[in-house]
Amino acid sequence: PVNIGNLALSNVGSKSSIEDMNGTSTEAKRIKQWYNPSRQQVLEAFDWSFARKREAMSLDGDDPPDQWTYRYQYPADCIAIRRIWNPAGETAAPVPFALETSNGRKTVLTDLEDAVAIYTYDVTDSGLFSMHFSMTLSYLIGAYIAMSLTGKRTIKEDCLKIYNQMILAAPAQNANENVEPAPKDADWISGRT
């Protein structure tokens, strides 16, 4: 986090750096203020492979509305549910689901029994971050701290512009560490001799 904070300071043109997130300098206070909200925002913005989790969801005690069969508890460490795993395979149609609050709790509605959520979780260990994620995060933090440190709206706008470009490049960067399996032939095709 300190290195990401120092990148953010560099992004806004600050000559200062921090040694500790709990420092008393204005820079340290601003970075500490914006680090976690920015981290969560960047996690939510894209399905980062380093932050992907697959977990069986627990049924919620409240009944689902009539149009859905099951109500599951929203995973406690979830930033964003990306999809519900389809037991028919990755190339099968997506499983429909919806989010709804029930008695003050976020829940997941679907028609699939024993649903498994594939989601982005709230990664706090910066050692797991990809370099692209860390750089993207530094520009978003830079956008949030720019006005209070420099008073220049153009620096804030520049940081936001670069952040948005980096989010758009995230799929290509993320794909560098993935190899998708080849699509399987349908049973009726693979059964041919």
Side-chain angles (χ1 to χ4, degrees):
V2 170
N3 289 337
I4 293 169
N6 283 325
L7 286 170
L9 289 171
S10 176
N11 294 341
V12 300
S14 175
K15 293 182 180 17
S16 300
S17 63
I18 62 168
E19 293 181 21
D20 185 343
M21 294 284 280
N22 295 313
T24 57
S25 68
T26 301
E27 292 85 357
K29 289 177 183 177
R30 292 297 166 264
I31 290 167
K32 184 176 180 178
Q33 175 185 9
W34 287 106
Y35 181 83
N36 280 324
S38 298
R39 178 185 54 77
Q40 290 178 332
Q41 184 176 346
V42 179
L43 283 169
E44 185 179 35
F46 179 69
D47 183 13
W48 304 94
S49 58
F50 73 86
R52 189 176 304 134
K53 204 173 198 182
R54 185 180 303 247
E55 186 174 289
M57 291 188 290
S58 300
L59 284 171
D60 188 80
D62 293 346
D63 290 332
D66 290 341
Q67 66 268 37
W68 297 101
T69 310
Y70 300 99
R71 182 189 299 273
Y72 292 96
Q73 296 171 10
Y74 195 82
D77 62 349
C78 182
I79 292 287
I81 293 182
R82 304 302 177 177
R83 63 190 176 279
I84 304 290
W85 179 73
N86 189 329
E90 291 294 327
T91 58
V95 175
F97 73 96
L99 302 182
E100 181 178 276
T101 301
S102 179
N103 288 318
R105 296 181 314 275
K106 199 184 250 188
T107 63
V108 181
L109 303 167
T110 186
D111 290 328
L112 187 66
E113 186 176 13
D114 300 324
V116 173
I118 299 172
Y119 64 92
T120 300
Y121 78 100
D122 192 8
V123 180
T124 57
D125 180 354
S126 61
L128 296 176
F129 298 169
S130 69
M131 181 54 68
H132 189 80
F133 177 88
S134 296
M135 293 301 294
T136 304
L137 176 56
S138 77
Y139 278 102
L140 185 60
I141 294 170
Y144 285 127
I145 65 174
M147 285 298 291
S148 64
L149 296 184
T150 69
K152 296 179 181 175
R153 184 169 299 282
T154 55
I155 293 175
K156 176 180 181 162
E157 291 168 355
D158 288 347
C159 284
L160 277 176
K161 182 179 177 182
I162 295 170
Y163 163 76
N164 285 319
Q165 291 169 345
M166 294 190 80
I167 284 295
L168 291 175
Q173 292 296 324
N174 199 61
N176 288 333
E177 291 194 278
N178 292 303
V179 176
E180 296 293 326
K184 295 180 183 173
D185 289 335
D187 290 340
W188 63 272
I189 292 174
S190 60
R192 280 196 268 178
T193 56

